[in-house]
């Protein structure tokens, strides 16, 4: 795996891909949180567990947003 050559920096297509599909960005977020590569995350995690993580972080963001709104009012 260490023999792959990577570009010096991501191209525009990489940014557009993440912009077009938020689940790709979430994959990277979750992999970082779990100290995994995205490939390993996708290989080792079931779809059911992945979906629970999506719901967990979605609800966590909603609670944070509600708390911020309450603090402003």
């Amino acid at each position: 795996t260490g023999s792959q050559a990577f570009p010096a920096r991501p191209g525009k297509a990489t940014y557009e891909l993440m912009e077009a599909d938020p689940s790709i960005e979430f994959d990277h977020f979750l992999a970082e949180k779990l100290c995994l590569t995205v490939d390993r995350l996708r290989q080792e995690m079931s779809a059911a567990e992945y979906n629970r993580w999506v719901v967990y972080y979605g609800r966590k963001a909603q609670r944070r947003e509600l708390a911020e709104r309450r603090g402003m009012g």
Side-chain angles (χ1 to χ4, degrees):
T1 58
S3 63
Q4 292 178 335
F6 294 102
R9 58 184 214 150
K12 183 178 179 180
T14 303
Y15 290 96
E16 290 172 348
L17 181 64
M18 283 215 183
E19 193 67 33
D21 187 353
S23 69
I24 294 173
E25 187 169 5
F26 182 77
D27 289 355
H28 286 79
F29 167 81
L30 185 57
E32 180 182 33
K33 287 288 188 183
L34 299 176
C35 299
L36 299 170
T37 65
V38 173
D39 285 341
R40 187 167 167 207
L41 173 79
R42 290 175 178 167
Q43 290 172 4
E44 295 183 8
M45 187 176 289
S46 70
E49 182 180 1
Y50 179 85
N51 287 331
R52 288 190 300 271
W53 281 109
V54 169
V55 171
Y56 170 79
Y57 277 109
R59 291 171 55 96
K60 187 174 179 178
Q62 287 175 336
R63 286 192 298 272
R64 184 174 45 247
E65 186 176 328
L66 287 172
E68 288 173 4
R69 286 184 182 178
R70 286 187 196 122
M72 297 175 87

